[in-house]
Amino acid sequence: PQSFLIDDTHTPLAAIPLPFSCDDSYLSDWPEEFCQNVYRRPKPIPASPSLSTIQFVGYVANPRANTPLARFNVVPYYQDGQEDNEVEDPGPMIIPQFYRKLELRRSRSGRLDDTTILKYNKTDHAPMETITSSSIINPIVLILYHVPALRNLLLSHICEVEHCIACQMGFVFRIISDKTKLKETAACTNLIRSLLVSRGCELMGPVQTTTQNLFSNVVNMINGSMIEGECKALADILESDLTVLSRCIRCGELNASDEKKVVISLNYPEAANERTMSYLLEKALHAKGQREGPCASCNVTTRTDDTRRVQKLAPILLIDTNPSNPKFAEFWDKQLKFSESRPRYRVPEKECTLDGGSRPERPCRYGAECRNRLVDLLQVLSWN
């Protein structure tokens, strides 16, 4: 062992070997509660007269230029409870020109010029003509267009009904396909007219609820516009078969019935733990509930408990995320915090040695078949 006199000032303390920790934990480690990734709202940048903006990036002199923190990227933030005590004057919000909403000139009919639309379209897809009544139906059309099986089915649909939604949807799909090659805008004016004539859909209103209702109604109207052979093909693409088990609360009689579901609406539980999308989908398919209906055994209208089981899952699932649910924002906000939190430390499954303070050699995953070991052995034999 290393030894030296107590008044020896020349031998460094590093000459004394120190043992390594068995679990890789040291006294200098921070506690786990101080190692969590927590969002803290940063303090606003104070106004500076030297602020200059080039394109959409602002430049200002470093206020810590003559301080020890000159080269540190320090972002001041609010402590817990500090934000409530401070009263700020936000003033007018200044949005950089690069992110401001474009004020595009429209004609008297409310339409945009093709040149103006194509100027801001940087993709290979045909842009949709935007008017007030098409702001909600355009995303729905594009969603259904990018489902190849459904697109081919609607393109092959032909009937003589004047305001057939399937025909109008196929017509819009044909326009989008043709306009993509020509780099021109596509419009769904005829589809909007047919939806207004059918009076089954509202094209104006709150975005969330209107989009949900319009999407469900469009899918149902497409299904109702199909002929016999096309209905079977559409069912094979979109319909999921479920079995509903209904138990009478009064007599306990259990009855089974079949249910077909096209649009799956998500329900959000209490976000106490981290949940995955497959968990939400499973709960939506196996949803439980109660309803009132006639009971064949009791011969009266009573309440029944319903449970669902999936018999056949559709190859293409149309999922409604249900943003109008009051727990929607709270659930996803907590899931975001769970995903950003630091995982708990796990003790490594390896041993430590105290002789010389060195760690054991990490075994090769190839074991005795390792070629590097064979090369080292041949070199040792050649030297000997």
Side-chain angles (χ1 to χ4, degrees):
Q2 182 74 19
S3 62
F4 50 88
L5 298 177
I6 193 171
D7 57 350
D8 187 0
T9 59
H10 299 286
T11 303
L13 295 178
I16 303 176
L18 297 177
F20 286 93
S21 174
C22 295
D23 56 354
D24 277 353
S25 62
Y26 302 93
L27 294 177
S28 59
D29 290 347
W30 285 63
E32 292 186 2
E33 58 269 17
F34 294 154
C35 298
Q36 301 291 333
N37 291 333
V38 180
Y39 172 76
R40 294 182 175 89
R41 195 169 75 88
K43 293 184 178 181
I45 301 176
S48 176
S50 61
L51 177 64
S52 61
T53 304
I54 300 177
Q55 292 183 354
F56 59 92
V57 180
Y59 297 87
V60 68
N62 186 6
R64 305 188 187 93
N66 299 322
T67 63
L69 300 177
R71 298 184 180 275
F72 287 84
N73 185 16
V74 181
V75 180
Y77 56 84
Y78 290 101
Q79 298 286 349
D80 295 338
Q82 181 183 3
E83 184 178 356
D84 300 335
N85 299 329
E86 295 188 6
V87 179
E88 302 178 5
D89 184 14
M93 181 180 296
I94 301 176
I95 302 176
Q97 182 68 29
F98 186 81
Y99 296 103
R100 291 180 185 177
K101 183 180 179 181
L102 296 176
E103 297 294 340
L104 303 178
R105 295 183 179 180
R106 299 177 180 269
S107 61
R108 294 183 178 180
S109 60
R111 301 182 182 276
L112 291 174
D113 185 33
D114 290 353
T115 307
T116 305
I117 297 177
L118 295 175
K119 177 182 177 181
Y120 298 99
N121 182 31
K122 305 300 182 182
T123 65
D124 295 333
H125 303 287
M128 300 293 294
E129 188 177 280
T130 56
I131 55 178
T132 305
S133 57
S134 67
S135 58
I136 296 179
I137 190 61
N138 282 346
I140 297 176
V141 170
L142 292 177
I143 289 174
L144 300 179
Y145 173 79
H146 287 91
V147 180
L150 183 60
R151 180 176 69 238
N152 296 335
L153 182 62
L154 292 175
L155 287 174
S156 61
H157 172 77
I158 298 177
C159 69
E160 297 181 356
V161 180
E162 183 177 1
H163 296 287
C164 175
I165 302 300
C167 289
Q168 298 298 339
M169 192 70 71
F171 179 65
V172 175
F173 289 172
R174 178 68 65 184
I175 293 177
I176 295 176
S177 301
D178 296 340
K179 296 293 185 180
T180 301
K181 303 175 183 178
L182 301 176
K183 299 295 182 180
E184 297 179 357
T185 58
C188 51
T189 309
N190 294 336
L191 176 61
I192 295 174
R193 185 183 299 111
S194 298
L195 291 174
L196 293 176
V197 170
S198 63
R199 297 181 180 180
C201 305
E202 293 291 338
L203 300 179
M204 303 295 294
V207 177
Q208 294 182 352
T209 56
T210 306
T211 304
Q212 287 180 269
N213 298 333
L214 183 59
F215 183 78
S216 301
N217 291 335
V218 166
V219 174
N220 293 332
M221 294 170 72
I222 290 175
N223 189 19
S225 303
M226 295 291 182
I227 59 178
E228 183 177 356
E230 295 174 342
C231 287
K232 185 178 183 304
L234 184 63
D236 295 338
I237 297 173
L238 300 179
E239 282 189 356
S240 298
D241 297 337
L242 291 85
T243 299
V244 182
L245 301 177
S246 302
R247 183 182 297 276
C248 178
I249 297 180
R250 185 174 181 180
C251 65
E253 182 72 17
L254 184 64
N255 297 318
S257 60
D258 296 332
E259 181 183 10
K260 298 184 181 297
K261 185 172 286 190
V262 176
V263 180
I264 302 173
S265 182
L266 299 181
N267 295 320
Y268 297 98
E270 295 294 336
N273 299 320
E274 187 173 0
R275 303 297 185 184
T276 60
M277 188 65 183
S278 59
Y279 174 84
L280 295 178
L281 189 59
E282 180 183 1
K283 291 299 181 182
L285 291 172
H286 296 165
K288 298 180 180 180
Q290 290 186 352
R291 62 181 178 87
E292 291 186 358
C295 178
S297 179
C298 300
N299 294 326
V300 294
T301 301
T302 182
R303 187 177 297 274
T304 59
D305 288 332
D306 295 342
T307 57
R308 291 170 174 80
R309 293 292 180 268
V310 178
Q311 299 298 330
K312 188 194 73 171
L313 203 60
I316 298 175
L317 300 179
L318 299 180
I319 301 175
D320 179 14
T321 56
N322 197 7
S324 60
N325 191 302
K327 297 181 180 179
F328 175 81
E330 178 186 0
F331 177 84
W332 290 115
D333 182 62
K334 289 186 177 180
Q335 295 303 311
L336 179 61
K337 292 181 180 179
F338 284 139
S339 63
E340 293 178 348
S341 62
R342 179 183 177 184
R344 290 186 173 272
Y345 177 78
R346 297 180 59 184
V347 179
E349 298 178 357
K350 56 184 178 180
E351 299 178 355
C352 62
T353 58
L354 300 179
D355 48 346
S358 61
R359 295 179 180 271
E361 182 182 359
R362 184 177 180 180
C364 179
R365 62 176 178 174
Y366 296 103
E369 302 295 332
C370 180
R371 295 184 178 181
N372 294 332
R373 288 179 176 273
L374 182 59
V375 172
D376 295 340
L377 180 60
L378 293 177
Q379 290 179 355
V380 172
L381 294 177
S382 63
W383 291 341
N384 295 335

